[in-house]
Amino acid sequence: MKIILATGNKGKLREFTQMCDTEVIAFSEILGTLDIVEDADTFKGNALIKARTIYEKLESEDYIVISDDSGISVPLLGGVPGIYSARYAGEGASDKENLYKLVEAVKEQGVEKTKAYYTAAIAIVSKYGEYVVHGWMHGDVLSTTKGEKGFGYDPMFVPAGYDLTLGELNDDVKKSISHRAKALVLAKPIIKMMQR
Ligand code: IMP
């Protein structure tokens, strides 16, 4: 069975491809561009909407569809941007616009850093059913950005136990501690079970 990734986000695609030991195909290679309305109020709900929609459009039992809905939450700001991470600076906003909006929001609080965490919900949908697993990465967000690695909010995020941002740290570090990597550890046995 082929594994299809239900994401168009280049940063996520790169990370998934590096972390999976089997071949993964982006849904866009088969279905082109699709506008999926993610209107659930949880990461889990939105991950399921994405995976289900793509699975139904593929119209074949030969596929396992994996989706990731993720984002960053800042308790000092009441948990924002949370599930709205991809559109924090407005519908269609770029990663950089979202990043700088959060930097400004932290700055407005008059602090140099504050606690934050990333959440990833991975949904797996196939003829065997629907599953969702989660992973988290805790740390701090800064009122500035440092480095260019990673994507999204990485240049302002310092993982717990480190002094550098994910924009500065080597990709291998993120691969071993990220919310997505942790969720994928739980997702892998489910995917393996479906492939048997
Ligand atoms: P989604 O594609 O609707 O799940 O949106 C996720 C958004 O959360 C992305 O556009 C990023 O802004 C942010 N995000 C999720 N995971 C990461 C990460 O690992 N690093 C940086 N930003 C992330």
Side-chain angles (χ1 to χ4, degrees):
M1 285 171 90
K2 293 197 182 95
I3 300 179
I4 307 293
L5 274 185
T7 181
N9 180 308
K10 290 206 175 73
K12 285 188 195 175
L13 265 174
R14 193 183 55 238
E15 288 188 7
F16 265 114
T17 311
Q18 286 172 354
M19 289 186 294
C20 286
D21 25 21
T22 41
E23 196 200 350
V24 291
I25 305 165
F27 80 89
S28 53
E29 286 181 30
I30 303 173
L31 296 173
T33 48
L34 268 187
D35 208 13
I36 302 172
V37 182
E38 296 169 32
D39 56 2
D41 55 7
T42 58
F43 290 109
K44 174 182 173 177
N46 283 329
L48 270 172
I49 288 175
K50 282 188 260 193
R52 264 183 207 147
T53 308
I54 306 275
Y55 183 72
E56 280 161 18
K57 290 245 184 268
L58 287 167
E59 290 179 347
S60 162
E61 294 200 336
D62 280 346
Y63 295 113
I64 299 170
V65 180
I66 306 176
S67 73
D68 158 301
D69 198 70
S70 48
I72 192 165
S73 304
V74 182
L76 183 67
L77 302 174
V80 299
I83 59 165
Y84 302 106
S85 293
R87 45 198 150 122
Y88 184 43
E91 210 60 58
S94 68
D95 267 14
K96 283 263 178 299
E97 288 165 334
N98 291 327
L99 168 69
Y100 289 118
K101 179 164 178 186
L102 193 56
V103 166
E104 285 311 313
V106 173
K107 229 186 256 173
E108 274 169 23
Q109 297 294 317
V111 294
E112 282 180 12
K113 64 174 186 176
T114 185
K115 295 261 170 272
Y117 57 92
Y118 279 112
T119 304
I122 294 184
I124 307 132
V125 174
S126 77
K127 65 179 174 187
Y128 298 111
E130 298 180 339
Y131 297 78
V132 183
V133 293
H134 288 83
W136 288 271
M137 171 168 52
H138 288 266
D140 289 306
V141 280
L142 308 180
S143 59
T144 185
T145 65
K146 291 180 187 172
E148 295 285 327
K149 295 202 176 81
F151 69 97
Y153 298 94
D154 287 345
M156 70 183 298
F157 186 85
V158 178
Y162 291 83
D163 296 321
L164 300 175
T165 69
L166 287 176
E168 299 170 299
L169 287 164
N170 200 296
D171 286 354
D172 285 345
V173 174
K174 187 173 179 194
K175 242 192 279 174
S176 64
I177 60 168
S178 82
H179 46 312
R180 195 162 297 107
K182 287 178 192 150
L184 205 54
V185 167
L186 300 175
K188 276 183 179 170
I190 299 171
I191 297 166
K192 283 229 160 64
M193 178 268 291
M194 289 176 171
Q195 283 177 316
R196 283 205 308 190

